[in-house]
Amino acid sequence: RTLHEVTLHESIRYGPGDAVEKWLNELLCLDCLNIPRLISGCPLPQTCDLYYVNRDTLFCYHKASEVFLQRLMALYVSSHYKNSPNDLQLLSDAPAHHLFCLLPPVPPTQNSLPEVLAVVQVSLEGEISRQSILNSLSRGKKAAGDLIPWTVSEQFQDPEFGSLSGARIVRIAMGYGTRALELLQMYYEGNLLEEVVTPRKELPPLLLKLSERRAERLHYLGVSYGLTTQLLRFWKRAGYTPVYLRQTPNDLTGEHSCVMLKDLRTEEVSEQSQWLSAFWTDFRRRFISLLSYQFSSFQPSMALNILQNRNSKETANTLSSSELALHFSPYDLKRMELYSRSMVDYHLIMDLVPNVARLFFQRQLGNISLSAAQCALLLGVGLQHKSVDQLEKEIELPSTQLMGLFNRLVRKIVQVFSNVQEQAIEAEMVVSKDIAMEPTIRSLTDDLDEAAQEFDEKHKKDLEKIKELNFEEYEIRGNKEEWDHILKKAGSTAVEPPHGKFKKENQRGKFKKSGGKKGKFGKKP
């Protein structure tokens, strides 16, 4: 076999220096890389301003406008965007698209075009009627355009989100991207409008200060991009929150599409509901469940970066004793305690790690503090179900160090569970009351005098009641002669009644003698 090398030195479609090829390249901005370098240096981001680009003037085929357009497209190409003639047509004709550029400080005496530091292309979306969203969701179809409203409404089955107005950042050619996003947010929040725009009879200027143009009323800013570690870090630093991550990767790039949102705190929506926090909480719960399926190939560092959201004001909750019993039995807790004391092997608790990881990343274990390596280890073992050998390569730590971190991690979790059980037992116990000893207002002598006075008054009332009672039925009957006679017979054992207490015989007549009968108090004489 003979190997032949063939080299193409001449273009097949166009000849060298073809006029049609040159015209086509200039028209479609295909030779935009032939741009001179920046000569103004790198100014401070705080000194740069964002300008609104009038697209009618940009595509008017003026010589200065063409040069400026070439600089814009050069930034797109250098930022590794896949450009095509369709993108250029979309930029020029799409009514919902707007273009902004970040420029360095321009001296008043400058008569040439300024150098472009960053380009931002946005598309206004939203304001879809509730009935249209309901009809589309019921049929399982989405209308063309409005990428973020339709995607979020479908994922969360929320027909109200489509009625909000927002701006999707289609492209951002980053050099000073953070400063450009900061000014763009301030612009749509209405914090840059200072002057009143007067109508112009001639062609509007190519660049317009944001303070001279009234912004559209928006509720949020959004972006959709192919997920990479660098881009995720950039958009999170800008304050955006992920709400959607496509489970299947793109066929060409192999990246998962990610949608991130940022709500605008304008005066019109100062009392808006916490819809973004609710979307983030639901997205986090679903992402945690999918980490063992479609997202198991993610690096633990990337997955951990997605789950950490500093913009969320959600407070950490602590499990109750009843909730803890739903996830772990007493035997499970005992096994974890034994492993924390290094008395058993880690394989004995591997079945418990997924529940522990799910509770931790859903912020249900209180304000427990773990290092970044421990969080990545817990995520890889508990949510992605990876082995220690595999995590040794991804986290770049030896297995012995990983196992030491894992043991300290479990020790902290066991301490949290013990505190939960102790608090539950303490709540069931009788609550002791603190007795406050305070001096009395009155002295002891005053209390005794008052009690003596009350006793005297009560005693007088009791005596008056006794005097009013009738004691005739308790009087001793019989006269003195009858009692003397009885006492003589009874001897010394008899008790002598008091004198003067006998009734006269003629009063009742009960002690008269009757023939052959015994008397009342004695036998027949």
Side-chain angles (χ1 to χ4, degrees):
R1 295 182 181 182
T2 305
L3 179 63
H4 298 276
E5 182 180 355
V6 179
T7 305
L8 181 64
H9 296 283
E10 186 177 350
S11 174
I12 298 177
R13 180 174 299 178
Y14 302 105
D18 189 272
V20 176
E21 182 183 13
K22 181 179 179 182
W23 169 82
L24 190 61
N25 290 336
E26 293 178 355
L27 177 66
L28 301 179
C29 300
L30 299 179
D31 56 347
C32 56
L33 290 181
N34 300 325
I35 300 296
R37 295 183 179 182
L38 297 177
I39 59 176
S40 61
C42 298
L44 294 175
Q46 293 79 7
T47 61
C48 301
D49 291 325
L50 193 66
Y51 290 81
Y52 179 82
V53 181
N54 189 293
R55 293 185 297 166
D56 293 336
T57 307
L58 182 63
F59 290 92
C60 68
Y61 209 67
H62 188 273
K63 183 177 181 180
S65 299
E66 286 296 313
V67 174
F68 194 80
L69 178 60
Q70 292 285 338
R71 294 181 179 180
L72 296 182
M73 299 305 297
L75 275 179
Y76 278 155
V77 175
S78 61
S79 299
H80 305 286
Y81 278 107
K82 298 176 178 60
N83 297 279
S84 66
N86 293 335
D87 299 327
L88 187 63
Q89 182 181 6
L90 187 69
L91 179 62
S92 62
D93 293 340
H97 284 237
H98 296 269
L99 195 62
F100 300 87
C101 64
L102 188 72
L103 304 180
V106 181
T109 58
Q110 182 176 348
N111 55 4
S112 61
L113 287 175
E115 298 172 342
V116 182
L117 300 179
V119 182
V120 182
Q121 181 182 350
V122 301
S123 174
L124 301 183
E125 299 180 339
E127 296 185 349
I128 308 173
S129 65
R130 174 186 173 90
Q131 190 61 37
S132 299
I133 297 177
L134 290 175
N135 293 339
S136 299
L137 293 179
S138 61
R139 296 194 304 267
K141 297 181 179 180
K142 296 184 295 185
D146 295 314
L147 174 64
I148 291 180
W150 285 114
T151 302
V152 175
S153 299
E154 181 185 25
Q155 287 297 313
F156 297 98
Q157 294 297 307
D158 184 8
E160 302 294 338
F161 179 77
S163 61
L164 302 179
S165 58
R168 175 171 58 91
I169 300 176
V170 181
R171 290 183 174 187
I172 175 169
M174 293 179 292
Y176 287 72
T178 303
R179 176 61 177 173
L181 289 179
E182 179 184 352
L183 293 175
L184 183 66
Q185 178 181 347
M186 295 175 61
Y187 170 65
Y188 279 117
E189 288 179 346
N191 299 329
L192 297 180
L193 185 62
E194 298 177 357
E195 302 179 6
V196 179
V197 181
T198 57
R200 290 179 168 86
K201 298 180 180 180
E202 301 177 356
L203 188 67
L206 175 63
L207 301 177
L208 192 65
K209 289 185 177 180
L210 298 186
S211 59
E212 300 175 354
R213 182 181 184 273
R214 184 175 297 277
E216 293 79 6
R217 294 184 178 182
L218 302 181
H219 297 92
Y220 65 89
L221 292 175
V223 62
S224 176
Y225 63 96
L227 182 65
T228 60
T229 304
Q230 293 78 10
L231 289 178
L232 176 64
R233 188 181 299 113
F234 169 78
W235 289 111
K236 288 192 65 177
R237 192 186 305 117
Y240 286 72
T241 302
V243 296
Y244 168 73
L245 187 61
R246 186 174 180 178
Q247 299 182 27
T248 56
N250 186 277
D251 296 333
L252 297 178
T253 63
E255 300 170 348
H256 297 261
S257 299
C258 180
V259 174
M260 300 180 71
L261 301 177
K262 183 177 185 179
D263 58 339
L264 298 177
R265 307 287 182 177
T266 57
E267 297 179 358
E268 292 80 0
V269 293
S270 58
E271 298 180 358
Q272 62 180 338
S273 59
Q274 300 296 329
W275 54 269
L276 186 56
S277 298
F279 286 169
W280 155 250
T281 303
D282 190 76
F283 166 78
R284 180 184 60 186
R285 179 185 57 83
R286 297 172 62 181
F287 180 71
I288 288 174
S289 301
L290 292 174
L291 274 175
S292 58
Y293 295 97
Q294 283 78 6
F295 304 138
S296 60
S297 60
F298 281 13
Q299 291 287 331
S301 57
M302 176 183 285
L304 189 61
N305 197 8
I306 295 175
L307 289 175
Q308 292 176 346
N309 184 15
R310 297 181 179 179
N311 301 319
S312 177
K313 299 180 180 180
E314 179 186 7
T315 57
N317 300 321
T318 305
L319 287 174
S320 62
S321 179
S322 57
E323 293 174 341
L324 181 62
L326 293 176
H327 297 281
F328 304 98
S329 66
Y331 306 107
D332 298 336
L333 300 178
K334 185 63 177 178
R335 282 187 289 153
M336 293 182 64
E337 183 181 0
L338 291 176
Y339 176 74
S340 65
R341 298 178 181 178
S342 302
M343 299 178 66
V344 295
D345 190 66
Y346 78 97
H347 294 95
L348 195 64
I349 63 166
M350 286 301 294
D351 59 313
L352 307 178
V353 179
N355 284 339
V356 172
R358 188 173 292 106
L359 293 175
F360 172 76
F361 288 107
Q362 289 182 353
R363 298 180 62 82
Q364 296 184 9
L365 295 181
N367 295 320
I368 182 173
S369 177
L370 298 179
S371 64
Q374 287 177 329
C375 292
L377 179 61
L378 182 61
L379 185 144
V381 175
L383 299 181
Q384 294 183 312
H385 300 170
K386 294 182 179 180
S387 63
V388 177
D389 297 335
Q390 187 175 359
L391 292 175
E392 182 180 3
K393 301 177 182 177
E394 296 181 354
I395 304 180
E396 298 180 355
L397 289 176
S399 59
T400 55
Q401 188 173 352
L402 289 179
M403 296 311 302
L405 293 174
F406 186 69
N407 185 271
R408 288 193 290 271
L409 181 153
V410 174
R411 197 179 307 165
K412 293 181 179 180
I413 300 296
V414 170
Q415 183 63 35
V416 173
F417 291 164
S418 300
N419 293 336
V420 171
Q421 293 178 325
E422 290 175 0
Q423 292 176 2
I425 296 175
E426 184 179 354
E428 296 177 356
M429 298 175 62
V430 178
V431 181
S432 59
K433 297 182 179 180
D434 296 334
I435 301 176
M437 302 296 292
E438 298 180 357
T440 57
I441 300 176
R442 303 177 61 183
S443 63
L444 181 60
T445 305
D446 295 338
D447 290 340
L448 293 175
D449 294 341
E450 183 180 358
Q453 185 179 356
E454 292 178 356
F455 178 76
D456 293 340
E457 292 178 357
K458 184 178 180 182
H459 184 62
K460 290 179 181 180
K461 292 180 181 179
D462 293 340
L463 289 177
E464 292 177 357
K465 291 181 180 180
I466 292 174
K467 290 179 181 179
E468 295 175 358
L469 294 176
N470 186 8
F471 294 100
E472 292 181 357
E473 58 178 334
Y474 304 107
E475 290 181 348
I476 301 175
R477 298 181 178 90
N479 53 21
K480 188 175 184 305
E481 290 79 8
E482 292 178 348
W483 276 98
D484 291 340
H485 179 71
I486 293 174
L487 291 175
K488 290 179 181 180
K489 292 184 177 181
S492 61
T493 58
V495 179
E496 182 179 358
H499 298 286
K501 298 297 181 181
F502 300 103
K503 286 187 177 181
K504 295 182 180 180
E505 185 179 356
N506 55 3
Q507 288 180 350
R508 296 183 182 273
K510 293 184 179 180
F511 295 96
K512 292 183 179 181
K513 296 181 179 180
S514 57
K517 294 184 179 180
K518 299 180 180 179
K520 181 84 174 173
F521 293 94
K523 297 181 181 179
K524 183 178 179 182

